[in-house]
Amino acid sequence: MELKSMEKDLAVHTSSTRNPAELFFVAVFFLGAAFLLTQLGSQTKILANKSILAQPGLWPGLWLVGMAVGALITLAYLWRTRHHNKHGKLSAELLQWLRSSEYLLWFMGYALMAIYLGYLPSTLLFCAILTYRSGYHNPKTILWAVVSGFFIVVTFKTILQVKIPGGVIYEYLPAVIRNFMITYF
Amino acid sequence: MDLIYSSLASLARMDVILALLAGSIGGVIIGAIPGVGPAVAIAILLPATFSMDPLVGLTLLLGIYGSAMFGGAIPAVLINTPGTPVNALSTYDGYPMTKRGEAARALSLSYGASFLGGIISVACLFLLAPVLASIAPLFGSRDIFLAALLGAVLMVIAHRGKHTIAALLFCFGGFINTIGFEIVNYSKRYTFGQTWLDTGVDLIVVVLGLFALSQAYFLLSGKDDKQHVPEMSGSLFKGLGEVFKMPRVVLPSAMFGVIMGIIPGVGQFIAQFFSYALAQNLSKTPELFGKGSPEGLVASETANNAVPPAAMIPLLALGIPGEALTAMMLSVFYVHNVIPGPQLFQDKFDFVLSLYFCLLALNILALGFLMISTGWLIKIIAIPNRFLGMIILTFSFIGVYSLRNSITDCIIAAIFGVFGLILKRLDYPIVPIILGMVLGDIMEKMFRRSLLRVDTLLDFINRPIAAIIFGIIILSITLHIWSLFKLRVTRNRLAD
């Protein structure tokens, strides 16, 4: 019983399957921290006649040192255990990161659409198109997505009156509808 | 007595009642959907609460926080998938019970355990309130600085097997917080001449990116899991009564939850671990744990729902959030100029009591809602992952853009979303970054204030409270290093 519980404790502290991009990620992190540390003098003000504890650069410097030291220790450990339980290739993992970043572009596209088309039209369009892009080609699912989008707009803009400015396109609407759309949709 | 009546009267307001209903029901639904979780919901709703009355906004957010764990038990028990990360332990015993045909019993045990955990924790809040009101004002800037440092140390210790990662991500969060214009010396830090960085990187934008957007990207780039939701037969009320017959499990588990909730940086996972281990040790059938033990299920659910109310204690009394979700809620306080900390109990004690009553009501409403709606809530589990990702992405836009109507905020959030996704894929924690931003800010402010009163660094610990906290920091680090050393010895023995 004692051995089993010890093995369980051990399992928490030893690596299980290791992502091949860990070393890459921590190395980039370390390089970033080291670079930012070199910029400490130029990116923070140095006050003459004041102790180091009162300098504006103290806390950014401390955090960057913490990042660099933490990254270095982690790098050393990862390098030592780089052949243990590795699963997959670095290139495949990096490609997966890149693929997932596609949705960053979707999000930014939505944000820009909302500025020009207005919150309601852009949300309905976005929900429909992204649902289709995600592989749901069933009209019922796309309709559900559009209804969900409408529900979100009504909840936040119409009911809770969260501040989202009207779209540029609203300026071309007749005056009566324009104010209504700007206020509620 | 007048104070209690006036605090209770706040609950009779229509906006507070709506917040109670939305928070408890919304929290249960959000918790029941695997892949969402209270962090995503709170990140999205935060900006919307800025225009609400502080009691209303906090009630809504606390409702989601506390009630999510009620709902999170549903997929954990029925399909072996925790609705929120802290319901993971409930799968160990809840799912085997479902496989035995005891799904209704398992669910009602979870609900009852969560309810009792929440109620006991709120009761502790009420009992501790006068103590806190007298102790909190004794905390000065040095004491709060060290308390924040203790929170950071405990948070790192709590990430077993990932200490250096947690530490470096905490430092990263602390660094991000320093970017921008620094008002004490009227200087800019790490803006690289970019005017959009002058106002710094907003905590809520980072939170939305790391929690909500990263989860949306993760779900959208993954596959849909085909979930078969089992049939549920039997009454939910039977298991509810059964929980009341387990005081030896419920009371210690609730106490662990309260203690771990009070200690900054620790949270639900440690509370569950201790209460589960204790329940197993005290059980007459320890061999059933992990195979469908009602006691195991009750222990984990009681502990994890006792944490949220208790986590309000360091936040309200010292202004130090214990974990990421309360760290997010800190911004609601500041926006309304209700500054948590030692003065809050002296200046706005009625507000504090109103919050406690709301926490009580939230638990009652969540339980009541679950008893009548579990049948259709089960259908929510089957929402496809990528569809869910699309919904979260849509929600996230309103959360980010409503803050300052800034496309720059959207870009920053989107980039942090990718960063959060990378951390998820590497199985690295996100919470240290948020705590780094919040605790780092507190540490810097309190450190500066303390400099006016100290001559040397040793003066930081020449007050009794500061000395005790410093002692706890040293003890925690020492004990942890000792446990790591023992583990290394064990590993060498096993290898031999």
Short mmCIF file of all heavy atoms in Angstrom, two decimals, chain B residues 246-266:
data_model
loop_
_atom_site.label_atom_id
_atom_site.label_comp_id
_atom_site.label_asym_id
_atom_site.label_seq_id
_atom_site.Cartn_x
_atom_site.Cartn_y
_atom_site.Cartn_z
N MET B 246 -24.08 12.11 6.44
CA MET B 246 -22.61 11.92 6.35
C MET B 246 -21.87 13.10 6.98
O MET B 246 -20.99 13.68 6.35
CB MET B 246 -22.19 11.81 4.88
CG MET B 246 -22.73 10.62 4.13
SD MET B 246 -21.94 10.59 2.49
CE MET B 246 -23.03 9.52 1.61
N PRO B 247 -22.18 13.44 8.22
CA PRO B 247 -21.48 14.60 8.80
C PRO B 247 -19.97 14.40 8.91
O PRO B 247 -19.22 15.36 8.81
CB PRO B 247 -22.13 14.75 10.18
CG PRO B 247 -22.74 13.43 10.50
CD PRO B 247 -23.09 12.81 9.20
N ARG B 248 -19.53 13.14 9.07
CA ARG B 248 -18.09 12.88 9.23
C ARG B 248 -17.32 13.13 7.93
O ARG B 248 -16.12 13.28 7.93
CB ARG B 248 -17.85 11.42 9.67
CG ARG B 248 -18.17 11.21 11.14
CD ARG B 248 -17.84 9.84 11.66
NE ARG B 248 -17.60 8.85 10.65
CZ ARG B 248 -16.77 7.82 10.80
NH1 ARG B 248 -16.06 7.71 11.91
NH2 ARG B 248 -16.62 6.92 9.85
N VAL B 249 -18.06 13.17 6.84
CA VAL B 249 -17.42 13.49 5.55
C VAL B 249 -17.62 14.97 5.23
O VAL B 249 -16.69 15.69 4.86
CB VAL B 249 -18.03 12.64 4.41
CG1 VAL B 249 -17.41 13.02 3.07
CG2 VAL B 249 -17.81 11.16 4.67
N VAL B 250 -18.85 15.43 5.42
CA VAL B 250 -19.21 16.79 5.00
C VAL B 250 -18.47 17.85 5.81
O VAL B 250 -17.91 18.79 5.23
CB VAL B 250 -20.75 16.99 5.12
CG1 VAL B 250 -21.13 18.44 4.96
CG2 VAL B 250 -21.47 16.14 4.08
N LEU B 251 -18.48 17.71 7.13
CA LEU B 251 -17.90 18.78 7.96
C LEU B 251 -16.40 18.97 7.73
O LEU B 251 -15.96 20.10 7.48
CB LEU B 251 -18.22 18.53 9.44
CG LEU B 251 -19.69 18.76 9.81
CD1 LEU B 251 -19.98 18.33 11.24
CD2 LEU B 251 -20.09 20.21 9.62
N PRO B 252 -15.57 17.91 7.78
CA PRO B 252 -14.14 18.15 7.52
C PRO B 252 -13.88 18.66 6.10
O PRO B 252 -13.03 19.52 5.89
CB PRO B 252 -13.50 16.76 7.70
CG PRO B 252 -14.50 15.93 8.40
CD PRO B 252 -15.83 16.49 8.11
N SER B 253 -14.65 18.15 5.12
CA SER B 253 -14.45 18.60 3.74
C SER B 253 -14.78 20.08 3.60
O SER B 253 -14.05 20.83 2.93
CB SER B 253 -15.33 17.80 2.78
OG SER B 253 -15.05 16.43 2.88
N ALA B 254 -15.86 20.50 4.25
CA ALA B 254 -16.22 21.92 4.20
C ALA B 254 -15.13 22.77 4.86
O ALA B 254 -14.77 23.84 4.36
CB ALA B 254 -17.57 22.15 4.87
N MET B 255 -14.60 22.27 5.97
CA MET B 255 -13.55 23.01 6.67
C MET B 255 -12.29 23.14 5.81
O MET B 255 -11.65 24.18 5.77
CB MET B 255 -13.20 22.32 8.00
CG MET B 255 -14.23 22.57 9.08
SD MET B 255 -14.47 24.35 9.39
CE MET B 255 -16.15 24.55 8.86
N PHE B 256 -11.93 22.04 5.13
CA PHE B 256 -10.78 22.13 4.22
C PHE B 256 -11.03 23.18 3.15
O PHE B 256 -10.15 23.97 2.81
CB PHE B 256 -10.51 20.77 3.55
CG PHE B 256 -9.65 19.85 4.36
CD1 PHE B 256 -10.09 18.57 4.65
CD2 PHE B 256 -8.42 20.26 4.83
CE1 PHE B 256 -9.30 17.71 5.41
CE2 PHE B 256 -7.63 19.41 5.59
CZ PHE B 256 -8.07 18.13 5.88
N GLY B 257 -12.26 23.17 2.61
CA GLY B 257 -12.60 24.14 1.57
C GLY B 257 -12.50 25.57 2.09
O GLY B 257 -11.95 26.44 1.41
N VAL B 258 -12.99 25.78 3.31
CA VAL B 258 -12.95 27.13 3.89
C VAL B 258 -11.49 27.56 4.10
O VAL B 258 -11.09 28.65 3.71
CB VAL B 258 -13.73 27.17 5.22
CG1 VAL B 258 -13.49 28.48 5.95
CG2 VAL B 258 -15.22 27.00 4.97
N ILE B 259 -10.70 26.68 4.69
CA ILE B 259 -9.30 27.04 4.99
C ILE B 259 -8.53 27.30 3.71
O ILE B 259 -7.81 28.29 3.59
CB ILE B 259 -8.63 25.93 5.83
CG1 ILE B 259 -9.28 25.88 7.22
CG2 ILE B 259 -7.13 26.18 5.97
CD1 ILE B 259 -8.95 24.65 8.02
N MET B 260 -8.69 26.40 2.73
CA MET B 260 -7.95 26.58 1.47
C MET B 260 -8.46 27.78 0.70
O MET B 260 -7.73 28.41 -0.06
CB MET B 260 -8.05 25.32 0.59
CG MET B 260 -7.46 24.09 1.23
SD MET B 260 -5.75 24.31 1.70
CE MET B 260 -5.56 23.05 2.95
N GLY B 261 -9.73 28.11 0.87
CA GLY B 261 -10.27 29.30 0.21
C GLY B 261 -9.72 30.58 0.81
O GLY B 261 -9.44 31.54 0.11
N ILE B 262 -9.52 30.55 2.12
CA ILE B 262 -9.00 31.74 2.82
C ILE B 262 -7.53 31.98 2.44
O ILE B 262 -7.11 33.12 2.26
CB ILE B 262 -9.11 31.57 4.35
CG1 ILE B 262 -10.57 31.65 4.79
CG2 ILE B 262 -8.30 32.65 5.08
CD1 ILE B 262 -10.79 31.34 6.25
N ILE B 263 -6.77 30.89 2.31
CA ILE B 263 -5.33 31.06 2.04
C ILE B 263 -5.15 31.46 0.58
O ILE B 263 -5.54 30.71 -0.32
CB ILE B 263 -4.56 29.75 2.31
CG1 ILE B 263 -4.76 29.31 3.77
CG2 ILE B 263 -3.08 29.93 2.02
CD1 ILE B 263 -4.20 27.94 4.06
N PRO B 264 -4.56 32.62 0.33
CA PRO B 264 -4.39 33.04 -1.06
C PRO B 264 -3.49 32.07 -1.82
O PRO B 264 -2.50 31.57 -1.27
CB PRO B 264 -3.70 34.41 -0.95
CG PRO B 264 -3.81 34.83 0.46
CD PRO B 264 -4.00 33.60 1.28
N GLY B 265 -3.84 31.82 -3.06
CA GLY B 265 -2.97 31.03 -3.92
C GLY B 265 -3.19 29.53 -3.89
O GLY B 265 -2.55 28.80 -4.64
N VAL B 266 -4.11 29.07 -3.07
CA VAL B 266 -4.26 27.61 -2.91
C VAL B 266 -5.45 27.09 -3.74
O VAL B 266 -5.27 26.49 -4.77
CB VAL B 266 -4.36 27.23 -1.43
CG1 VAL B 266 -4.52 25.73 -1.27
CG2 VAL B 266 -3.12 27.69 -0.70
#
